Amino acid sequence: MRFTNRAINFNDAIKGFFGAQYGLERRLPIALQFVTFSSDQRALLKKASALPAHIETVMEALHHDLTPEQMADPCFAYRVIFVPKSAARASAADVAVEFVKPGSDEASEINRVLLKEVDKQRYTTGQIVKMMNSDGFPRFKQHHHTQLWKALNARDHNTGFGRPGDYRGTWVWYDSWLARVRAHCQEQKDRYVALT
C-alpha cells in the first residue's frame, strides 16, 4: 500500500508542477506489480513481529504529531477494501484469501476490518460537460465529449472509464474518465476557454 500511495502522490506532484496533461493515469491507469512474495519471504515476514527500534521511534514521533484529518488523508494512508467473491471452482481462484468476520476473536487482534461493497462515483455526460464548463471551459460541449470518447474508444470495458447506465442506451462515467476529460480540456485550453 505504501508504494501505491507514494506513486499516487508522485503523480499528483507531476500534475501540480507540469500540468494535468503529464499525469501518469493516462499512460499507466492500472496498478503495477513486478514481483510477488515467495512462501519463504512470507514466512520471514510473519516471524518479524516488530520493527527495528529506531524505525519504530521515528514512526511513533511522526504519528504523534499528525492531526486526525492528516491521518485520514488518502495522501498519508491509502486504504483498500477487500470484498469476498468466490470462484466457481477452487482451481479457478488466483490466490486464497481468508476473510475475518467483524466481531470475531480474530478480528479483535486486527486494528480495523471493513468488508463493505462500494460502487464507484458515476457521472452522466451532461454532468461532465457542466463540470468542465464550471472549471473554466465554457466552450466544451456535449459533441466535444462524444468526439473525445469515440477517439479514445473510452466505452471499451477494458479502459475502466465507465459502464452502461441503469437505463437502456445510457452510459455512466467514472472519476478516471472525468480526470481524462479535464486533462483534455486543459491540453486544448485555447479551444474551450471563452474568448475575451
Side-chain angles (χ1 to χ4, degrees):
M1 301 311 162
R2 289 190 177 119
F3 174 77
T4 303
N5 204 35
R6 289 180 186 146
I8 292 170
N9 291 343
F10 177 68
N11 191 42
D12 288 343
I14 289 173
K15 292 189 290 187
F17 286 119
F18 305 109
Q21 67 271 23
Y22 295 105
L24 298 176
E25 69 270 8
R26 289 177 35 215
R27 292 164 193 86
L28 298 170
I30 57 172
L32 301 176
Q33 183 175 352
F34 298 107
V35 296
T36 186
F37 290 114
S38 69
S39 57
D40 295 342
Q41 290 170 317
R42 283 193 294 271
L44 283 172
L45 287 171
K46 287 180 181 178
K47 286 180 185 175
S49 59
L51 292 170
H54 64 287
I55 294 177
E56 223 171 81
T57 303
V58 169
M59 294 301 293
E60 284 177 16
L62 172 71
H63 287 102
H64 181 267
D65 293 338
L66 294 176
T67 66
E69 292 80 22
Q70 290 171 319
M71 295 276 281
D73 188 331
C75 291
F76 174 74
Y78 187 79
R79 290 165 179 82
V80 177
I81 299 170
F82 289 98
V83 179
K85 299 235 182 223
S86 300
R89 298 179 327 274
S91 61
D94 292 334
V95 175
V97 176
E98 183 179 343
F99 288 90
V100 178
K101 292 185 179 181
S104 69
D105 292 338
E106 293 173 88
S108 65
E109 296 175 21
I110 299 172
N111 287 340
R112 192 176 199 177
V113 175
L114 177 62
L115 300 174
K116 179 180 175 187
E117 190 151 359
V118 178
D119 196 10
K120 294 180 182 180
Q121 177 69 45
R122 296 173 286 175
Y123 306 96
T124 64
T125 297
Q127 289 173 314
I128 289 179
V129 170
K130 283 181 184 176
M131 283 188 268
M132 293 306 102
N133 294 166
S134 297
D135 285 357
F137 305 106
R139 295 172 63 195
F140 182 79
K141 304 295 179 194
Q142 188 160 342
H143 71 274
H144 297 116
H145 183 271
T146 302
Q147 290 172 336
L148 181 62
W149 76 252
K150 285 183 177 180
L152 298 177
N153 197 22
R155 284 193 178 183
D156 181 330
H157 293 287
N158 295 324
T159 64
F161 284 137
R163 67 169 180 79
D166 296 331
Y167 302 102
R168 187 176 182 170
T170 63
W171 191 269
V172 290
W173 302 98
Y174 297 142
D175 285 321
S176 57
W177 177 248
L178 178 61
R180 179 61 188 96
V181 173
R182 187 170 282 124
H184 168 77
C185 288
Q186 290 170 344
E187 291 164 3
Q188 303 285 322
K189 190 182 295 188
D190 295 342
R191 183 177 174 192
Y192 300 124
V193 174
L195 300 174
T196 53

